[in-house]
Amino acid sequence: MNQPLSTNNNAHYVVFDHMLEGVQVVDFEYRYLYLNKVVVEQAKSSLEELLHQKMTEKFPGIDQSPMFSLLKQCMEERSPQTLLNEFDHLDGSKGYFELRMQPVPEGVLILSIDETQRITALKLMEESNIRYRCVADASFDAIWDWDLIKDTATFGDSFRSIFGYNDEKIVNFSSKWLDMVHPDDQAEIAYKIQCVTLASEKKWLLEYRFKKANGDYAYIVDRGTALKDEYGKTIRIIGAKQDITEQKRSEQQKAVLAAISPIFSQHAQLKSALNAVLGKLIIYFDDFQLAEIWLCDNQAKSIKLISKDSHFPNSEEFYEKTRLQTSFQLGEGLPGEVWRTKETIVWQNVETHDAFLRKEFASIIGLKSVMGLPLIFQDTVIGVLVLGTSKQVTYQDSYSSFYKGLAELLGSEIQRKQIEQELAEIFNAAPDIICLAGFDGYFKKINPKMCELLGYTEEELLSHPSSYFTHPDDLKVTTRETVDFSNTTSSQNFENRYYTKDGRIIWLSWAIKLDLDSGLIYCVAKDITEKKDLEDLLKVANQLAQNGGWEINVLDNNKVYYSKTTRDILEMDDDVVPTLEMGMSFYPDEENRSRVEKVVQKAIEDGTPWDEELQIVTAKGNHKWVRGIGRAEFRNGTCARLLGSFQDITVRKNTELELKKLNETLEERALKLQQSNEELEQFAYVASHDLQEPLRMVTSFLSLLERKYESQLDEKAKQYIHFAVDGAKRMRQIILDLLEFSRVGRIREELDHVNINTLVETIVSLYREKIEDLNASIVFENLPTIESYETPVYQLLQNLISNSLKYHSVNEPPRVDISVVEQETDWLFNVKDNGIGIDPNYHAKIFQLFQRLHTKDEYTGSGIGLSLCKKIIDDLKGKIWVESEEGKGCTFYFTLPKQ
Ligand code: ADP
């Protein structure tokens, strides 16, 4: 490019050739006289093209430009001029040049400094600033611009509206910006800023928590670009912050919800699952320091605190103090109220909130506000999630769908867990076998009852095929039922025998269901060993009792079935097939047959069961008695089956008949006896009554004889007459006594209130003289009034008292004690004396008629008194007996029924 200066025709211009600025000299006709290489380059042309050419010709229209008018001014007025010239190159591009024009003798020397780069940059910057401002104002992102030279940050409108800051500008930004970052994120961000400001990095993309003007933190994505100067130093950082709090929260919420379900699967117990869930929730809800789960009980009567977690200080003290407030009724406290309303409820300032039943303890942990969320399953509140905080709870709409989702999820998971736990309890505590088996014949899951019943451990039962435990004789039925793939809709039932580990055999009754999809057989089995044993026992007992069974299947053509015992009773051969006609042929007797037909007909008509004793003639022609019991079974209103039992009662029946005959004979005899007794009584009455008259005659004639012939009768004769009179008198007494005796029971008087006290008093007054003579005492006190017949009771007591006075001891004055004891159904009378007593050998004899233990010379009497007592007592349905020893007095007892 080093053009020889000679081409410029002027030797002193050589000095300009090496200048860094462009130099050109134009003559008065605006012809290029000189151009150094810089100006040629600036003009994007060549020396040959321009030298000696007229400027106005080379660049047509230039004479209209401001530059040319200045040049003209300089040319003509010979005054220097300066100008920043915008120059249109021939190729259409633009150049910016600072032109300094100096008059020289040849014309004008123009010094041109190329400012194209600087001006273009400036223009670009200006444009970008305009663009930035438009973007900043129009964008939803918060645009910020940090001029590191001035250390000033400017913020766009969006920035201020999103984050709530008022200032458009913040000076000394380098010392302030870090405070706007969440403490946990500061380190990372500070490092990144350093990388961008000090090192070569130009761009960043960061996610962190940014502090808003109100102190809350927003999750943001921050994109930034650093502008560097020519030395690579960052002079400006422009960035855009995007608020992603919503998106972040919804991601976190999704993550929280997603983390909850597995917790329920990981924990076997509901309570520990809930503890873990609360642990997770309280971390997520960092605004809340307390979380509780309350669950409604099964009867939906109360709601109870089941699980809690708290990050409050003094939580232990709080829960200790509120330990009695862990169960509420519907509508009681926050959980009860949420349960009642089915709504989310927020209570502020709980320490003064009357409905918050734990209010007086809220200050222990600094609890200010609580929120209760209903946990819902199928439209029913099953529990309540309570969240507590030391601040005001603001129930943000952005959370409401999350709360709803959380409540629904917890509701269904808790419900599922409860059912799972209940099922597990049933499985573990079931009194019967519950198990799962595979089509490969192995058990897959068994409950503890199965181990207990069979005596094997779980491993042992799972490691052998089921056939290993099955009785060989039952393998066939077992296999047939368990591989019946044709039936997968209903359950199948069968019985088989299993061996226990200690070699016993137990009977199991199975109900199984095949599930082709899962390849599993669901099984339930009951131990029916005892029932089977009882069945066997019944079979034996039936055989022993000659009790057979029978059945007529009405729906199946009246098919008849007889059990073995029935066949034995009917003396049928085993190979004979019974029919209805054959059954009736066992009743050849017309009466029996029509009875059978009648009861069967009635049973078929209205289900009346029957129980009949019938005479049959067996297949071998033997006569037997049977007891036939039967009933009808109905299906859809019609008789489907008749069934019953058949018992051989021949022996019993024959005995019964014999007994009946015997009874009849006895009854006949008793009747005869009664008749003869009555006749005897009649005779005694007639005899004693009729005998009195001749006896009176004997006595009176004897007295007449004595009076009339007194002077003619010697002493002997008189003595004889006296004996005769005396005999007649005694005979009269005997006849009177007998008369009385025969009267007992014949004249029935009215039942009356009999005052025993009055009765005894009357007897005492009757015997007053005798009592005084003997110096006797009759002792009685508070004797009752009883329901009875006065005359016979009077006769009883009179006889006993008079005997006690008569048979008194010679050693001491007689004493008679009379007392009555009330018993449950009777009155027990007790007449006790201190007389001569009776030898126990004669205790029975004295109650018989005319039986005496003494002669008439020792004691007078007829031997009728006590038999009269006995007869009265028998008549009144009581009892009489004596307790005594000779010389020790007697005690006569008798009872009278109260009713
Ligand atoms: P009786 O007194 O007329 O002989 P009872 O039938 O009253 O006839 O008595 C039968 C006998 O029982 C009496 O003969 C007497 O031997 C004896 N006996 C009855 N009562 C007493 C008594 N209280 N103490 C001793 N013996 C008695």
Side-chain angles (χ1 to χ4, degrees):
M1 281 297 286
N2 268 345
Q3 293 286 341
L5 285 177
S6 56
T7 52
N8 278 314
N9 282 340
N10 196 335
H12 62 265
Y13 292 154
V14 170
V15 66
F16 300 131
D17 282 349
H18 298 286
M19 276 181 69
L20 288 172
E21 290 81 21
V23 180
Q24 53 185 308
V25 179
V26 285
D27 63 12
F28 289 98
E29 284 172 9
Y30 302 104
R31 232 185 283 270
Y32 292 110
L33 286 183
Y34 171 77
L35 295 129
N36 74 354
K37 61 176 180 163
V38 177
V39 85
V40 169
E41 269 170 32
Q42 284 176 344
K44 294 189 179 175
S45 189
S46 63
L47 191 65
E48 293 74 32
E49 233 179 292
L50 297 177
L51 201 63
H52 308 303
Q53 299 295 317
K54 263 190 172 179
M55 184 187 275
T56 45
E57 278 165 18
K58 199 67 210 170
F59 299 102
I62 200 168
D63 50 345
Q64 301 301 316
S65 69
M67 183 278 291
F68 194 78
S69 59
L70 269 187
L71 179 63
K72 205 170 160 207
Q73 207 177 332
C74 180
M75 196 72 85
E76 288 166 6
E77 292 173 12
R78 310 305 298 161
S79 60
Q81 301 293 335
T82 310
L83 163 79
L84 181 67
N85 185 36
E86 185 180 327
F87 176 77
D88 292 321
H89 289 291
L90 288 173
D91 63 4
S93 62
K94 272 192 192 313
Y96 295 93
F97 302 96
E98 191 184 322
L99 301 182
R100 293 183 192 160
M101 301 171 194
Q102 183 67 43
V104 287
E106 294 90 336
V108 173
L109 180 143
I110 304 167
L111 191 76
S112 62
I113 303 159
D114 191 348
E115 291 281 14
T116 308
Q117 230 172 341
R118 193 176 66 85
I119 297 294
T120 311
L122 268 176
K123 284 216 181 283
L124 271 179
M125 184 88 113
E126 216 158 84
E127 270 170 33
S128 102
N129 268 349
I130 293 166
R131 273 205 304 274
Y132 153 73
R133 220 158 288 272
C134 291
V135 169
D137 294 342
S139 171
F140 290 117
D141 290 354
I143 311 285
W144 54 281
D145 183 353
W146 180 10
D147 184 333
L148 279 93
I149 312 275
K150 295 184 191 144
D151 199 12
T152 306
T154 2
F155 302 102
D157 285 350
S158 307
F159 189 94
R160 296 197 304 276
S161 64
I162 293 172
F163 300 114
Y165 288 103
N166 291 325
D167 309 330
E168 207 174 324
K169 264 193 168 60
I170 295 181
V171 289
N172 296 331
F173 192 63
S174 60
S175 63
K176 293 176 185 160
W177 69 267
L178 209 54
D179 292 341
M180 297 173 126
V181 175
H182 190 283
D184 291 353
D185 299 338
Q186 282 175 1
E188 189 194 344
I189 305 306
Y191 170 73
K192 196 72 195 176
I193 295 272
Q194 260 181 3
C195 293
V196 175
T197 49
L198 304 178
S200 60
E201 270 184 52
K202 269 193 174 167
K203 289 190 186 294
W204 76 27
L205 177 61
L206 288 169
E207 204 180 297
Y208 60 94
R209 279 161 289 179
F210 183 72
K211 195 183 203 165
K212 301 213 255 182
N214 65 3
D216 286 351
Y217 285 95
Y219 278 93
I220 57 155
V221 169
D222 197 351
R223 283 188 187 79
T225 309
L227 299 185
K228 310 264 175 186
D229 67 7
E230 49 205 328
Y231 307 108
K233 190 175 168 236
T234 303
I235 49 166
R236 189 173 167 194
I237 300 173
I238 300 173
K241 291 187 194 325
Q242 194 186 354
D243 186 350
I244 55 157
T245 313
E246 276 311 304
Q247 177 197 337
K248 196 77 186 172
R249 183 177 297 138
S250 109
E251 272 169 22
Q252 279 176 347
Q253 289 173 352
K254 274 190 203 140
V256 167
L257 293 185
I260 285 176
S261 291
I263 292 178
F264 281 95
S265 312
Q266 285 152 10
H267 292 258
Q269 294 303 313
L270 174 65
K271 204 179 155 155
S272 66
L274 291 179
N275 288 342
V277 167
L278 287 188
K280 192 140 209 105
L281 285 181
I282 209 162
I283 290 172
Y284 169 67
F285 288 120
D286 47 9
D287 283 349
F288 291 102
Q289 294 84 20
L290 174 139
E292 296 171 344
I293 286 182
W294 296 66
L295 294 184
C296 305
D297 70 5
N298 277 342
Q299 290 82 39
K301 287 216 175 104
S302 61
I303 186 161
K304 288 195 174 69
L305 176 63
I306 301 296
S307 174
K308 55 182 190 276
D309 198 351
S310 165
H311 288 183
F312 275 126
N314 303 332
S315 295
E316 272 176 28
E317 189 190 342
F318 173 75
Y319 280 110
E320 174 58 27
K321 292 258 164 69
T322 57
R323 69 183 188 283
L324 296 177
Q325 285 146 322
T326 51
S327 174
F328 293 137
Q329 308 287 311
L330 188 72
E332 215 184 3
L334 180 66
E337 192 56 15
V338 174
W339 182 18
R340 189 181 69 79
T341 57
K342 285 189 175 184
E343 301 283 345
T344 297
I345 293 179
V346 173
W347 287 348
Q348 313 282 9
N349 303 324
V350 289
E351 72 273 29
T352 55
H353 199 295
D354 284 339
F356 187 68
L357 299 181
R358 297 181 279 177
K359 66 172 187 173
E360 57 177 306
F361 306 108
S363 62
I364 296 177
I365 48 174
L367 181 66
K368 278 272 171 301
S369 312
V370 287
M371 176 159 82
L373 297 163
L375 307 180
I376 293 179
F377 181 73
Q378 288 178 351
D379 236 22
T380 309
V381 177
I382 63 147
V384 171
L385 171 66
V386 171
L387 297 169
T389 168
S390 56
K391 292 187 265 177
Q392 288 277 109
V393 172
T394 43
Y395 182 71
Q396 296 138 314
D397 280 350
S398 53
Y399 277 98
S400 71
S401 74
F402 171 63
Y403 288 144
K404 198 159 166 270
L406 176 68
E408 268 170 22
L409 177 72
L410 281 178
S412 61
E413 285 295 346
I414 289 170
Q415 183 75 9
R416 195 179 58 75
K417 195 75 196 170
Q418 278 174 336
I419 291 172
E420 185 187 299
Q421 236 166 278
E422 279 164 20
L423 279 179
E425 261 162 47
I426 292 172
F427 185 78
N428 291 326
D432 298 326
I433 291 174
I434 302 175
C435 61
L436 285 178
F439 293 155
D440 58 1
Y442 280 83
F443 292 115
K444 304 296 175 198
K445 193 168 165 58
I446 55 176
N447 72 339
K449 184 68 191 176
M450 187 164 187
C451 299
E452 185 197 315
L453 263 183
L454 297 177
Y456 286 104
T457 63
E458 189 174 345
E459 294 73 55
E460 286 169 333
L461 282 168
L462 296 181
S463 58
H464 293 93
S466 65
S467 57
Y468 175 85
F469 308 99
T470 313
H471 191 288
D473 293 352
D474 297 337
L475 277 174
K476 223 160 135 190
V477 59
T478 309
T479 321
R480 191 178 64 223
E481 297 291 342
T482 47
V483 296
D484 181 5
F485 295 115
S486 62
N487 182 5
T488 53
T489 48
S490 60
S491 66
Q492 285 141 250
N493 300 291
F494 61 94
E495 292 175 356
N496 66 10
R497 279 160 291 180
Y498 262 54
Y499 283 113
T500 64
K501 195 172 183 180
D502 57 14
R504 283 178 301 117
I505 291 174
I506 59 170
W507 273 97
L508 295 176
S509 168
W510 293 88
I512 64 162
K513 186 152 186 329
L514 275 66
D515 183 35
L516 290 181
D517 295 337
S518 62
L520 287 171
I521 310 173
Y522 297 88
C523 319
V524 181
K526 217 180 174 53
D527 177 8
I528 52 159
T529 315
E530 208 169 314
K531 185 184 131 217
K532 281 279 179 190
D533 288 350
L534 280 176
E535 269 174 22
D536 287 348
L537 199 68
L538 189 69
K539 228 182 256 172
V540 175
N542 274 341
Q543 267 164 12
L544 288 174
Q546 282 290 290
N547 204 349
W550 59 267
E551 189 186 314
I552 299 168
N553 205 330
V554 181
L555 292 185
D556 189 8
N557 262 333
N558 290 330
K559 202 162 153 190
V560 179
Y561 161 80
Y562 286 157
S563 79
K564 170 87 177 67
T565 312
T566 301
R567 282 174 177 275
D568 289 350
I569 294 170
L570 296 171
E571 298 186 311
M572 270 170 69
D573 287 337
D574 286 351
D575 51 353
V576 176
V577 179
T579 62
L580 208 54
E581 291 69 38
M582 190 191 295
M584 290 312 289
S585 72
F586 293 113
Y587 308 98
D589 170 51
E590 188 53 44
E591 193 213 318
N592 272 294
R593 178 191 284 257
S594 72
R595 247 168 73 206
V596 173
E597 282 169 351
K598 223 158 95 193
V599 292
V600 171
Q601 194 58 41
K602 184 103 177 92
I604 292 175
E605 274 167 18
D606 61 10
T608 313
W610 74 85
D611 184 349
E612 294 283 333
E613 292 185 347
L614 301 157
Q615 268 180 307
I616 57 160
V617 177
T618 67
K620 291 192 175 152
N622 293 315
H623 287 258
K624 277 186 182 178
W625 274 97
V626 292
R627 181 180 176 188
I629 299 178
R631 64 180 170 87
E633 251 182 30
F634 286 79
R635 215 167 292 155
N636 303 329
T638 46
C639 175
R641 209 157 72 109
L642 290 164
L643 70 163
S645 69
F646 215 57
Q647 188 182 15
D648 187 344
I649 55 162
T650 314
V651 177
R652 195 199 85 199
K653 200 68 193 173
N654 287 342
T655 322
E656 244 175 52
L657 288 176
E658 272 169 30
L659 266 176
K660 205 173 161 197
K661 242 184 241 168
L662 211 63
N663 261 344
E664 280 166 7
T665 325
L666 270 177
E667 269 168 27
E668 244 168 63
R669 281 202 196 143
L671 200 67
K672 276 185 191 155
L673 207 65
Q674 197 189 337
Q675 278 168 357
S676 82
N677 263 348
E678 275 167 16
E679 280 162 15
L680 213 62
E681 273 173 14
Q682 190 67 22
F683 164 75
Y685 175 73
V686 171
S688 50
H689 190 267
D690 292 1
L691 273 173
Q692 291 215 58
E693 182 51 28
L695 203 58
R696 223 184 346 256
M697 270 177 71
V698 171
T699 326
S700 56
F701 278 104
L702 277 173
S703 310
L704 209 62
L705 193 70
E706 198 181 21
R707 263 203 321 269
K708 204 154 186 182
Y709 302 101
E710 197 184 5
S711 53
Q712 295 152 24
L713 294 175
D714 59 3
E715 274 313 299
K716 199 112 199 155
K718 278 182 189 165
Q719 201 182 1
Y720 289 158
I721 288 173
H722 173 74
F723 281 152
V725 171
D726 188 50
K729 265 188 198 159
R730 277 198 290 115
M731 187 156 178
R732 186 166 174 268
Q733 188 58 48
I734 291 172
I735 287 168
L736 284 176
D737 288 352
L738 253 183
L739 203 60
E740 205 171 327
F741 181 83
S742 72
R743 274 198 198 114
V744 173
R746 280 161 41 111
I747 307 146
R748 174 65 80 218
E749 59 183 283
E750 288 290 302
L751 198 61
D752 204 357
H753 297 293
V754 184
N755 186 330
I756 307 296
N757 250 341
T758 323
L759 224 59
V760 175
E761 276 163 12
T762 315
I763 297 167
V764 170
S765 65
L766 186 73
Y767 292 114
R768 169 151 310 130
E769 228 171 288
K770 198 168 189 179
I771 291 169
E772 279 169 12
D773 287 353
L774 292 169
N775 192 22
S777 50
I778 313 276
V779 184
F780 62 96
E781 218 181 352
N782 295 334
L783 298 177
T785 297
I786 67 166
E787 286 275 295
S788 196
Y789 305 95
E790 182 161 339
T791 313
V793 178
Y794 177 83
Q795 283 176 312
L796 262 167
L797 286 165
Q798 189 207 340
N799 268 297
L800 295 176
I801 293 169
S802 88
N803 273 355
S804 290
L805 291 172
K806 185 169 28 170
Y807 300 105
H808 66 84
S809 156
V810 285
N811 305 323
E812 52 181 332
R815 178 191 162 109
V816 187
D817 286 275
I818 301 150
S819 60
V820 181
V821 179
E822 185 173 5
Q823 295 184 323
E824 199 178 338
T825 54
D826 304 284
W827 295 103
L828 173 64
F829 285 75
N830 179 337
V831 181
K832 181 182 174 194
D833 63 41
N834 57 349
I836 60 170
I838 306 165
D839 180 342
N841 287 323
Y842 304 117
H843 283 185
K845 193 181 170 187
I846 54 169
F847 291 103
Q848 289 171 16
L849 198 59
F850 303 127
Q851 296 298 330
R852 311 195 64 225
L853 304 179
H854 306 279
T855 62
K856 71 174 169 46
D857 301 328
E858 287 171 299
Y859 297 96
T860 58
S862 58
I864 294 177
L866 285 180
S867 23
L868 180 77
C869 292
K870 171 95 171 79
K871 199 170 179 209
I872 290 170
I873 283 292
D874 284 349
D875 195 46
L876 297 180
K877 308 272 185 295
K879 276 184 194 147
I880 184 164
W881 69 98
V882 66
E883 282 175 10
S884 172
E885 270 179 53
E886 231 175 339
K888 290 193 176 164
C890 304
T891 307
F892 280 87
Y893 295 94
F894 66 90
T895 62
L896 289 175
K898 282 180 175 173
Q899 296 285 320

